[in-house]
Structure formats: C-alpha cells, structure tokens
C-alpha cells in the first residue's frame, strides 16, 4: 500500500465531523435509537438524501476525508489478495465456516463452497440454491447446518415465502451431507419455534448438539408463541442425521428478561437470543440475547446452566454476538444498534453506542461474574449512507495477547487489540467507500474471521474477500493451523 492511504485516513479521522455533520444529523435521532432486529429478507435501502447533502458527501470524498464510492482503503499491514463477486446466489451474503481447504459462505439464497487452498485465487466448488434468511452456516465432519429464519411454505429448498400466521409455514434448521463438497445433499430438517436466526454447534464424538437462537414471538404466529424465553437444543446423530430432533428448550429468562421500552428506553426487549458462542474446552458459553448478556455452563450440553447475566441499559440497544478470549477470562459482546440497518459510525452516535463491550470474567466456577471494562468502536467515521455497526468477528490466536478481527458492515474489517481490557485499540483495517451517496444501503462485511493465516470476509454486497495481515503482533498466529473452524464454536487454538 502507498502512503496515500495512511494520509487520507489521518485527515478523515480529524476532519470528517466538520465536513459531514449536517449529512449525519438528518438521518439519526437525537436520543437513543430504538433497536430493531436484523434486516431480515430485505436490505435497508431507500432512505434518500437531498442534493445539498450529497454535495457535502462528495466534497468529503474530494478532500480525502472519506473514501470514494467503492474505493478500497486499508492500513499498511493489510494486503487485499482476492475478491470473488456473487455469482448464482444474488441475496445478501452472510456468515462463514471453514473446514480443511474449504470455506463455506452463507447467502440469503443458499450457500457457496470455496476451495481456498490458494488464498490468492479461491475457486467455487459448489453453489446450493436454498432460500431462507439468514442461512447462517456451520460445518462439523460430513455435516453442514443451515439456519432458516423466514417463514417458508415448506422445509424444501424449493419453498416460497409464506406468512408466519399460517400453521403450515416452516422455519428452522436444515442439514446437508457434505462428504462430496461438489455435490452437497440435503438430508434432514428440524422445525424450531420462531425459526433459526443463528445457531451454534456443540460437537461430540457420535452426535452434534445445535443451540438454535431465535426471537420475536407473536400471538398471531402458531409456531412462535410468547413467551419465547429460551433456546431450542437439537441433537443430531452423526451417522443418522435424519434422526435429528429437539431434545430440550431450556428457559434462560425465567423472569422474562430485559423488559425493554418504556422501562429501558432504546433497549430491545428480550424475547430469546440472537447468538451464542460456546467454548467447549472450558464448558462455557456466552449468549447475546437482545437486551441481556449471559455467561453459562455447558457441562451438560442438553441442559445449559446460567452462571451470570448482565445488562447495559445506557449504551447497548441489541446484544448481538459474543467472543471469548483464549484464556476464557474475557468476553467481547457486540451491540447491533439499529438492527444492522442504520448509519451509526459517526460523532452523533458517539464511541459507546453500536460498539463492542469488553467484559472480564472474574471469580471461579458457578460464582464467576461478568465485569464491564470498556467499549471499543472504530474511529473511522462513515458516510451517512453507509450502514455501519459492530458485527461478527473472531479471535486471532496469539499466545499472551487478546487480538480480534471483526466485521463492521460498511465500516469494513477491523483488527484490534484488547489485551488491556480498559484500553482497546485498532491496529489494522480494510474498507470500501460508500456503495451509494444518495440512499442508505446495506453492504460491507457481514463476517470477518481469521483462519489458518488469512482473514476471510463475506461482504454482503461485494462478495468474498481474502486479506493478508502482516504485523509483528499478529504474525505468530500464522503458525496455528485448524482442521475446522466455526467461530461460534470457539476452539482451544493451542490444544487440538
């Protein structure tokens, strides 16, 4: 990278607020924004800007304060290696999973398998058309798991949308046999209450447990009735996945969880979980559950037990995801302010909302507590048309340091250090400029994960990116090799 990129970013950090304040202010409320769920089947588009506001944005680009439309900027220690645009699957790109030389990329229309044996030139191995947002994807052995969180006419890959008010509608988990990566076979389906927004695997030798996160029940939905205060636990026998079945629905919020507004203005009411991350080597899990953050034991995977629960009714609107550090003495929770459909990386929103919350885990056993230490948010302001918020990321495995790579939608990919829980700092980044200057648009990295020496990112609109990170702080991670990675099933990177 040339020095031009670094110079542009310095100017942008110092000058963007003055140049674009009017642009930002028109789109955001003065008080805390009400949290909404993820975009669902429809990306956030259509919020137009006036001609004068577009002129302000254009001037900011001209002055080097923000990147130009689709312009790529990055820090000196990141090198973009490849970008593979969308092909047959035209929906929003979503989550990623990895196994050996393969990457599995979710899309609202199905999933795509890449051969990443040469990271500079990934090759498409298969594309499976199977519509059903979000199509959150995980793999374990010969099985691939796909979440369906939109009401469908049936459980087939040929289904169509159908109102959730109809009893015959279907949402839940789909299971594929991927023993032949070029020809995945759909082998099983399990319907779950309120669908499957995300899911998390707890692998065992003969079976795989699947924790299904879903939320937003409604009395008019026959298969998604309130209260919906827990998660579905599915047991999948590896040798006979067609026998997959729900074995429990543990109640995580016997008191109903965070009541949300009007008691806690701007905070989501808890009606289930958005995402769960497990650390099987420590029998621990962390749950991001709308208005609540959880720490729980999974010693008995069919019966998870709550250890501690926290809320942040000042700055967190929607507890979205969780990541442990390697020592399991910290958890990073993300806040998806605006539900992944708003521009929140600007001075009006500030550094504490739509951010990461870093919590230390103190104490022992069932007496452990989550103790808040600080917030982290990228300090690279974005245009008012750029949906930007904390999203999915993973640990970068370096002994003695807590390093993470994370997606921020149109805020790009951020690499940051939280070894000091109270003083996190960004150490690398990659991002594209606005997709548009005349309408708010959902785009940018949905997930950004570190796997076997490279960063892989699934950009909602632009496709599959591969980045190389060269930095003395992260270089030791290049020696760590994993046979499989589902980020929500965090491995012990140094004991496998």
């Amino acid at each position: 990278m040339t020095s031009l990129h670094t110079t542009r970013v310095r100017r942008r950090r110092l000058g963007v607020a003055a140049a674009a304040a009017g642009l930002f202010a028109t789109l955001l409320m003065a008080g805390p924004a009400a949290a909404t769920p993820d975009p669902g089947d429809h990306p956030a588009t259509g919020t137009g800007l006036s001609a004068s506001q577009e002129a302000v944005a254009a001037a900011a680009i001209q002055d080097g304060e923000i990147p130009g439309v689709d312009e790529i900027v990055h820090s000196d220690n990141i090198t973009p290696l490849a970008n593979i645009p969308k092909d047959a699957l035209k929906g929003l790109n979503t989550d990623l999973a990895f196994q050996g030389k393969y990457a599995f990329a979710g899309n609202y229309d199905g999933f795509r398998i890449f051969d990443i044996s040469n990271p500079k030139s990934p090759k498409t191995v298969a594309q499976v058309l199977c519509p059903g947002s979000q199509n959150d994807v995980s793999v374990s052995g010969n099985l691939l798991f796909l979440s369906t969180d939109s009401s469908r006419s049936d459980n087939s890959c040929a289904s169509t949308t159908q109102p959730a008010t109809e009893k015959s509608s279907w949402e839940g988990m789909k299971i594929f046999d991927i023993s032949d990566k070029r020809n995945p076979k759909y082998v099983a389906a399990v319907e779950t209450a309120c669908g499957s927004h995300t899911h998390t695997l707890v692998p065992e030798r003969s079976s795989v447990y699947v924790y299904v996160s879903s939320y937003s029940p409604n009395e008019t939905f026959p298969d998604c009735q309130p209260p919906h205060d827990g998660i579905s636990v599915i047991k999948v026998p590896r040798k006979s996945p067609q026998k997959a079945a729900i074995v429990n629905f543990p109640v995580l919020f016997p008191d109903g969880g965070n009541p949300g507004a009007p008691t806690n203005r701007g905070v989501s009411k808890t009606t289930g979980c958005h995402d769960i991350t497990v650390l099987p080597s420590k029998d621990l899990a962390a749950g991001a559950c709308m208005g609540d953050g959880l720490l729980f034991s999974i010693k008995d995977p069919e019966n998870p037990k709550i250890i501690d629960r926290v809320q942040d009714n000042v700055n967190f609107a929607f507890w979205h995801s969780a990541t442990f550090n390697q020592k399991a003495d910290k958890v990073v929770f993300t806040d998806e302010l605006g539900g992944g459909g708003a521009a929140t990386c600007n001075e009006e929103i500030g550094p504490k909302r739509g951010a990461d919350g870093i919590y230390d885990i103190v104490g022992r056993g069932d007496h452990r507590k989550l103790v808040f230490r600080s917030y982290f948010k990228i300090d690279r302001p974005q245009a008012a048309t750029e949906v930007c918020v904390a999203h999915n990321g993973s640990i970068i495995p370096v002994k003695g340091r807590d390093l993470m790579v994370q997606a921020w939608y149109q805020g790009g990919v951020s690499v940051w250090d939280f070894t000091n829980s109270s003083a996190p700092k960004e150490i690398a980044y990659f991002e594209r400029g606005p997709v548009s200057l005349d309408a708010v648009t959902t785009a940018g990295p949905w997930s950004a994960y570190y796997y076997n020496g490279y960063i892989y990112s699934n950009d909602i609109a632009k496709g599959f990116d591969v980045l190389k990170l060269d930095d003395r702080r992260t270089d030791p991670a290049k020696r760590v090799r994993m046979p499989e990675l589902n980020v929500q099933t965090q491995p012990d990177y140094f004991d496998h």
Side-chain angles (χ1 to χ4, degrees):
M1 184 189 103
T2 67
S3 60
L4 172 64
H5 292 96
T6 303
T7 302
R8 287 174 59 89
V9 172
R10 284 200 187 110
R11 293 174 62 192
R12 187 152 48 96
R13 282 177 171 159
L14 295 172
V16 72
L23 190 72
F24 294 145
T26 59
L27 291 180
L28 299 163
M29 300 187 299
T36 58
D38 289 326
D41 288 321
H42 305 287
T45 58
T47 303
L49 304 180
S50 68
S52 61
Q53 291 167 337
E54 292 178 35
V56 169
I61 291 172
Q62 182 66 32
D63 291 342
E65 293 167 343
I66 61 175
V69 173
D70 286 339
E71 179 188 2
I72 291 175
V73 295
H74 55 85
S75 54
D76 291 328
N77 51 0
I78 280 186
T79 303
L81 296 182
N83 170 259
I84 310 300
K86 293 180 186 179
D87 189 11
L89 306 178
K90 302 299 185 183
L92 280 67
N93 282 332
T94 60
D95 214 354
L96 293 168
F98 305 90
Q99 186 180 84
K101 67 177 185 179
Y102 298 102
F104 304 82
N107 179 285
Y108 272 48
D109 287 338
F111 64 92
R112 188 174 183 180
I113 303 176
F114 293 99
D115 181 337
I116 54 172
S117 53
N118 179 1
K120 293 182 179 180
S121 183
K123 304 297 183 184
T124 299
V125 174
Q127 297 189 73
V128 177
L129 179 64
C130 197
S133 65
Q134 302 193 131
N135 280 340
D136 190 32
V137 63
S138 297
V139 294
S140 183
N142 288 330
L143 300 178
L144 179 144
F145 301 84
L146 201 66
S147 285
T148 298
D149 192 37
S150 59
S151 187
R152 313 296 299 179
S153 56
D154 55 52
N155 65 9
S156 75
C157 285
S159 67
T160 57
T161 57
Q162 182 169 290
T165 52
E166 295 188 22
K167 177 61 179 173
S168 63
S169 295
W170 185 92
E171 299 180 62
M173 288 300 309
K174 295 169 181 169
I175 304 170
F176 291 78
D177 183 324
I178 53 168
S179 52
D180 179 357
K181 302 295 188 294
R182 296 186 178 278
N183 186 30
K185 295 181 179 179
Y186 184 12
V187 295
V190 179
E191 185 171 14
T192 54
C194 301
S196 175
H197 194 72
T198 66
H199 67 268
T200 304
L201 305 186
V202 185
E204 295 195 341
R205 180 168 296 181
S206 60
S207 299
V208 180
Y209 287 97
V210 185
Y211 291 169
V212 176
S213 296
S214 56
Y215 54 92
S216 295
N218 189 301
E219 291 182 354
T220 67
F221 299 164
D223 299 320
C224 183
Q225 289 285 298
H228 183 70
D229 47 17
I231 58 174
S232 298
V233 179
I234 299 172
K235 185 175 182 179
V236 185
R238 291 188 183 276
K239 292 184 178 180
S240 50
Q242 68 277 6
K243 295 181 180 178
I246 295 173
V247 292
N248 196 11
F249 187 87
V251 173
L252 303 179
F253 303 98
D255 66 350
N258 197 318
T263 303
N264 296 317
R265 180 172 176 255
V267 179
S268 292
K269 178 181 178 180
T270 298
T271 59
C273 289
H274 179 278
D275 210 344
I276 292 170
T277 293
V278 298
L279 193 58
S281 63
K282 306 291 186 182
D283 290 327
L284 277 180
C289 303
M290 304 183 72
D292 293 89
L294 298 180
L295 181 70
F296 50 98
S297 168
I298 58 168
K299 287 181 180 179
D300 178 357
E302 288 190 21
N303 297 282
K305 178 182 178 182
I306 302 299
I307 296 175
D308 194 25
R309 171 180 157 195
V310 290
Q311 297 178 351
D312 179 347
N313 294 322
V314 176
N315 290 310
F316 258 48
F318 188 93
W319 295 67
H320 176 275
S321 53
T323 303
F324 289 98
N325 68 337
Q326 180 61 32
K327 289 185 178 179
D329 59 7
K330 299 176 187 177
V331 181
V332 174
F333 288 103
T334 67
D335 173 26
E336 194 184 44
L337 174 67
T344 70
C345 298
N346 53 63
E347 288 197 350
E348 279 66 27
I349 293 296
K352 296 181 179 180
R353 298 170 57 227
D356 296 318
I358 303 167
Y359 287 75
D360 284 353
I361 302 174
V362 300
R364 295 184 178 182
D366 290 348
H367 299 289
R368 283 171 286 189
K369 297 292 182 183
L370 292 164
V371 179
F372 173 76
R373 295 302 185 202
S374 67
Y375 297 103
F376 170 76
K377 189 174 182 180
I378 59 172
D379 64 352
R380 293 172 282 108
Q382 311 296 306
T385 56
E386 292 185 280
V387 169
C388 175
V389 73
H391 221 246
N392 295 350
S394 76
I395 289 296
I396 299 176
V398 175
K399 286 185 176 180
R401 302 189 74 96
D402 295 325
L403 303 167
M404 186 171 175
V405 58
Q406 185 176 2
W408 286 80
Y409 277 28
Q410 288 187 78
V413 173
S414 174
V415 179
W416 58 291
D417 186 330
F418 62 104
T419 306
N420 181 344
S421 302
S422 299
K425 59 183 179 180
E426 183 174 78
I427 62 174
Y429 71 91
F430 164 90
E431 69 167 287
R432 292 181 172 89
V435 172
S436 167
L437 291 182
D438 57 15
V440 179
T441 306
T442 296
W446 178 289
S447 301
Y449 299 145
Y450 189 92
Y451 177 69
N452 291 354
Y454 298 89
I455 293 171
Y456 297 91
S457 170
N458 211 18
D459 189 294
I460 294 168
K462 299 298 183 180
F464 182 70
D465 287 307
V466 185
L467 311 175
K468 185 180 180 184
L469 175 64
D470 292 299
D471 189 289
R472 59 178 177 78
R473 293 162 290 191
T474 60
D475 284 347
K478 295 177 181 179
R479 298 190 292 269
V480 179
R481 287 291 182 268
M482 303 302 298
E484 190 173 271
L485 180 63
N486 301 293
V487 167
Q488 287 73 34
T489 305
Q490 277 190 233
D492 184 334
Y493 286 97
F494 304 108
D495 183 22
H496 63 277

